[in-house]
Amino acid sequence: MDSHSSPSSKKVRSPGGSSGGSNNRGSGGQTVKFARRTSSGRYVSLSRDDIDVPDEISGDYMNYTVHIPPTPDNQPMDGSVAVKAEEQYVANSLFTGGFNSVTRAHLMDKVIESEVSHPQMAGAKGSACAMPACDGKVMKDERGVDVTPCACRFKICRDCYMDAQKGTGLCPGCKEPYKMGDDYDEVSDYSSGALPLPAPDDSKGNMSVMKRNQNGEFDHNRWLFETKGTYGYGNAFMPQDGGDERNEGIQGGVIETMDKEWKPLSRKTPVPAAILSPYRKRLLVAIRFVVLGFFLTWRLQHKNEDAVWLWFMSVTCELWFAFSWILDQIPKLCPVNRSTDLQALWDKFDMPSPTNPTGRSDLPGVDMFVSTADPDKEPPLVTANTILSILAVDYPVDKIACYISDDGGALLTFEAMAEACSFADLWVPFCRKHDIEPRNPESYFSVKGDPTKNKSRSDFVKDRRKIKREYDEFKVRINGLPDSIRRRSDAFNAREEMKMLKHMRESGADPMEPIKVQKATWMADGTHWPGAWAVPSRDHAKGDHAGILQVMLKPPSSDVLMGGADDKIIDFTDVDIRLPMFVYMSREKRQGYDHNKKAGAMNALVRCSAILSNGPFMLNLDCDHYIYNCKAVREGMCFMMDRGGEGICYIQFPQRFEGIDPSDRYANHNTVFFDGNMRALDGVQGPVYVGTGTMFRRFALYGFDPPNPDKGQKVGSEMQNLGPSDFDPDLDVNLLPKRFGNSTLLAESIPVAEFQARPLADHPAIKYGRRPGALRQPREPLDAATVAEAVSVISCWYEDKTEWGDRVGWIYGSVTEDVVTGYRMHNRGWHSVYCITKRDAFRGSAPINLTDRLHQVLRWATGSVEIFFSRNNAVLATRKLKFLQRLAYLNVGIYPFTSIFLVVYCFLPALSLLSGHFIVQTLNVAFLIYLLTISICLILLAILEVRWSGVGLEEWWRNEQFWLISGTSAHLAAVVQGLLKVIAGIEISFTLTSKSAGDENEEVYAELYLVKWTSLMIPPIVIGMMNILSIAVAFSRTVYSAIPQWSKFIGGAFFSFWVLAHLYPFAKGLMGRKGKTPTIVFVWSGLIAITLSLLWISINPPKGGTPATLNGGFIFP
């Protein structure tokens, strides 16, 4: 038999994990202690000696795995009850811990007030333990059926069973040694792809006796010959039909995959030549570039001697605009389109075959991250709907793991997620049964149109009514959670006060002394919530609480679990009722630590998921961005698993938004960026990372360089298994704790994640792949030591003296950590891919209120300024960053500084009208030709971009309008704040953008008309009022002058009207719907406009209005 130790094989988990490693940190380091709470509430310490692997077992032997198929002499050991007991304990326990604190597992018999029925969920209903004076629940299997370890069917809980096993080993019911009942025999595991060995005919008697050789040993050859059985992957492979074992394909792999025609999973589709040729061949760009050069040269050579200051300001602005245009335009010369083949993906990874009769998927695992921080600004109902859309995604259930990071540590979020898991018991199978899209219940029930379209089942209407009624009740429970938690906490606190008062009376204390009882927040099981309380106190505040980890949905079984007609209120016959793994996480927070906002939360999710599930790919979503296309993950996997996919660091999906006003007043859809700029970068080195809707390769996020097949030696057609030092020559394996922290499990998971993320080596051109079938083995069940290790890696001290946030994970030091993180990966030579699907992959919400929109843009622009003044400036990039990609990243850091010149340029028309001068002394034919040519080229370029990107003209114009609005407000403030941070070290703080929960009684676009004062409004208001005032002054002066110069007035007013046209959406936002503009807006704007006007008059007092004084002014032809 062939044995191997490839990273694809599950490592033997070292329960010590970081605990063992923490001993090397010194006396002041973290020590993880394991404690289990019994059903009676007593904490039992778990000794290190009970869980450590013996020292004499070396690492080589620990990682050595041999797969032997079940034969009469090799039947699975009876360990199912112990595994189920441990998994049951983990699923029903809330783990807490942190720096210098004990890691505790709090057994929760009740997670939420409502009843829980799904067997995977914590706190699911079950039978009571039959042991006297025990209130525990009986263990359950995947269907929720009671697991009775003994054939006598004596019902016993997990803790009592463990006590009996450690004690006498006898069943408390029949007083006999434990013997497994027939109904719970272990099912043979064919996870590695091996065929089940056929059973002999009854007439042949006992096969295990007949197939023995003369020495009394089992004759494997005779067994295989007479039963025509085969061994699976990782063992000796017997080719069928006379196949040649020396096939050029994968050794020990699936032979029939080599007989199929190889198909690519993705393709690049070029933009039509008629559209792109003038664009790609740089015809229009070159013409405009040349004409722009001549124009600027002419402007520099022809000064306006009557107004040199006006000429100087205009020329300076025009030079900067030309530079900014080049940075924006050059990277957009190579746009590409991409397409995927989902059928080819299914044929390659999910199709049943003789060696995979059950059709177990060979796709890699995906860990999905959702982050939230404040349930007041991010409604739990919105987050719950996002979680439901993830749990219902069309991807192998056992390959999905969903994690939510609650940075606020709020019980409201915790119980809302538990309610979502409970509702998922109905919603997820309903989506699978009727192929529902979208799988966000709020969005699905809000879709207008015929819901029965393309539905073939006759019971769809009945099922839809039932699930709609259940969802309405679910919303009522979610929306009622704040009051429910408050009433529950008040009741328990009142009870504690009564106990305290009774104790004082019994002890003879002064009854007039005030009672001091902490106003705690209580969970549904009647215990203190370990996170933040409604009334903050020490160790229970938003910035000061223990780390919390709850496996709300334990990992599902690897085999399909079909529902029945009577299990639920809906008939789920022939429907898979399993749910993906779901974990609630709230990292530890302590005063005095810099927790690095969202980036720190994402890195905690990366470490936690590496310990629990270690999916080689990760998908991160904001709490208000849900999966709109259930096949989106498969679409992204087509690129990762295709030829050349090993060099892709992430797949970026475009952001699409709902709830935007039909006119898109503030360019919230941002289609020019997502459908134009991002698609163009896809033809260079890939799009930038924009914070959400991104599928990452875990190995790339760990800070390693992309793989180089030339460094490895080929073994057959598969690359040699490589370790971390093979990808980074400067990385010493002994120094892994310095980079990744002291968790042993985390370090061991790195090569496993790298190996599992490789594409299949099923083509000679794929020099860096893995063998087919390597990922069909089931996931290991979770144990308490593993979860305790995950708690330790989310503690606030874990990142101390490591490279997390500097080289590994999300990068710290900027409010736009997403752009910096993507830049670091591109700078190491990785590529990214832009995946635009026919049906939007994800959808989310965006602020339609003017103030919220400006603050959002302010945060982005401030991050860009920080990038410009940091070592992440593209000027300092390595040679691995392509030239055009370097220009794109350089533009990211420079674009906010355009606001300085834009503000000046917007004041020039007003100054021109007030002063009676223009930017040029006299109009020249050359000037007009240059100006006309530049304008025509700009219009043609815009039309071409609109055609190949699919952006509408109205969307393009909205983008131009908001570019001026944001450039004169948020971008200018970002430059000021960025300079203050760089020069004076003043930190910048931002508040979360509020998300709307969509009240049914509230008008859809009510926020659009809400006016909230912000100082960001002052500059554009002043610009608008100055231009209006200058038009009025110039008009009055022209009317009352002896010789009216109407051509001069019209020429100057034209540019003022051009500025005002761009500010039109801003003006509408100020007006609101009912004239609710704050008075302070007009007071400040009026005062500033009058002050500027008086200042201008004092600097340049008006001279006589005679015609002689007007010579040299603007003369409109």
Side-chain angles (χ1 to χ4, degrees), residues 150-409:
C150 184
C152 71
R153 301 293 186 247
F154 181 81
K155 295 184 177 181
I156 189 171
C157 68
R158 178 257 179 199
D159 289 317
C160 294
Y161 170 73
M162 298 297 290
D163 292 340
Q165 285 282 66
K166 292 181 179 179
T168 61
L170 303 179
C171 171
C174 62
K175 308 301 180 182
E176 296 289 337
Y178 272 111
K179 183 178 180 181
M180 195 67 180
D182 295 336
D183 295 340
Y184 296 98
D185 288 339
E186 187 74 22
V187 180
S188 299
D189 182 19
Y190 311 114
S191 58
S192 61
L195 281 173
L197 301 178
D201 296 335
D202 294 338
S203 59
K204 295 184 179 180
N206 189 343
M207 183 69 73
S208 63
V209 176
M210 293 177 62
K211 304 302 178 187
R212 296 186 181 274
N213 56 24
Q214 295 179 354
N215 297 327
E217 298 177 354
F218 183 77
D219 192 343
H220 290 267
N221 294 330
R222 186 177 179 185
W223 171 269
L224 292 174
F225 175 76
E226 296 191 10
T227 61
K228 299 180 181 180
T230 59
Y231 287 137
Y233 302 123
N235 302 275
F237 181 81
M238 179 177 289
Q240 302 181 16
D241 301 329
D244 187 3
E245 194 174 15
R246 294 171 297 176
N247 191 291
E248 295 181 357
I250 309 305
Q251 294 183 352
V254 184
I255 287 184
E256 67 269 12
T257 59
M258 304 303 296
D259 297 333
K260 298 179 182 179
E261 179 184 0
W262 186 86
K263 293 182 179 180
L265 302 179
S266 62
R267 288 182 175 88
K268 279 187 180 182
T269 55
V271 178
I275 299 176
L276 194 59
S277 291
Y279 195 83
R280 178 176 291 174
K281 292 180 180 179
R282 303 175 176 87
L283 179 62
L284 292 175
V285 176
I287 292 175
R288 187 169 192 258
F289 184 79
V290 172
V291 174
L292 191 60
F294 282 113
F295 172 75
L296 293 176
T297 302
W298 186 91
R299 290 280 285 120
L300 290 171
Q301 293 176 349
H302 295 77
K303 295 183 181 180
N304 185 353
E305 300 295 345
D306 296 332
V308 177
W309 57 272
L310 191 63
W311 168 84
F312 178 77
M313 286 193 298
S314 62
V315 169
T316 303
C317 295
E318 289 162 2
L319 287 171
W320 179 267
F321 293 152
F323 171 70
S324 178
W325 174 79
I326 292 173
L327 287 180
D328 179 70
Q329 194 66 43
I330 298 301
K332 295 162 65 174
L333 296 177
C334 306
V336 296
N337 293 325
R338 297 182 186 270
S339 60
T340 58
D341 191 343
L342 294 179
Q343 183 61 41
L345 183 75
W346 187 86
D347 293 342
K348 186 176 293 189
F349 292 94
D350 297 316
M351 177 182 288
S353 64
T355 54
N356 184 26
T358 60
R360 184 172 290 176
S361 178
D362 196 25
L363 286 169
V366 180
D367 294 338
M368 299 192 178
F369 301 155
V370 178
S371 58
T372 183
D374 190 347
D376 295 329
K377 295 185 177 181
E378 298 169 331
L381 182 60
V382 174
T383 307
N385 276 281
T386 299
I387 296 300
L388 289 170
S389 71
I390 294 176
L391 297 179
V393 69
D394 183 5
Y395 200 77
V397 183
D398 56 324
K399 301 297 182 73
I400 289 290
C402 180
Y403 296 80
I404 183 169
S405 169
D406 178 18
D407 241 18

Side-chain angles (χ1 to χ4, degrees), residues 602-645:
M602 298 306 297
N603 284 338
L605 283 173
V606 172
R607 296 191 298 271
C608 174
S609 62
I611 301 297
L612 298 181
S613 55
N614 197 31
F617 297 101
M618 301 174 292
L619 177 69
N620 79 293
L621 295 172
D622 289 342
C623 66
D624 60 331
H625 272 71
Y626 68 91
I627 298 179
Y628 188 74
N629 181 355
C630 68
K631 298 183 183 297
V633 180
R634 291 182 178 271
E635 297 261 10
M637 204 58 67
C638 285
F639 298 104
M640 292 293 193
M641 293 291 102
D642 203 5
R643 181 173 58 186

Side-chain angles (χ1 to χ4, degrees), residues 84 88 92 117-121 123-127 137-147 554:
K84 286 184 173 64
Q88 185 92 1
N92 286 310
S117 60
H118 198 281
Q120 284 182 242
M121 186 178 173
K125 63 180 180 180
S127 303
K137 291 183 179 180
V138 177
M139 297 174 289
K140 301 180 292 296
D141 62 7
E142 290 81 2
R143 291 187 173 274
V145 179
D146 292 342
V147 174
K554 66 181 181 180

Side-chain angles (χ1 to χ4, degrees), residues 971-1030:
H971 294 176
L972 183 63
V975 172
V976 175
Q977 290 186 352
L979 292 175
L980 288 176
K981 180 178 181 180
V982 172
I983 298 173
I986 300 176
E987 288 294 332
I988 306 164
S989 61
F990 293 96
T991 58
L992 284 173
T993 303
S994 299
K995 280 81 174 179
S996 174
D999 191 352
E1000 296 178 355
N1001 300 323
E1002 187 179 296
E1003 189 174 345
V1004 180
Y1005 306 119
E1007 288 189 5
L1008 181 66
Y1009 309 106
L1010 183 63
V1011 179
K1012 295 184 287 186
W1013 165 250
T1014 174
S1015 58
L1016 297 177
M1017 296 179 177
I1018 294 179
I1021 290 177
V1022 172
I1023 290 174
M1025 296 190 68
M1026 282 291 294
N1027 278 275
I1028 295 174
L1029 182 62
S1030 63

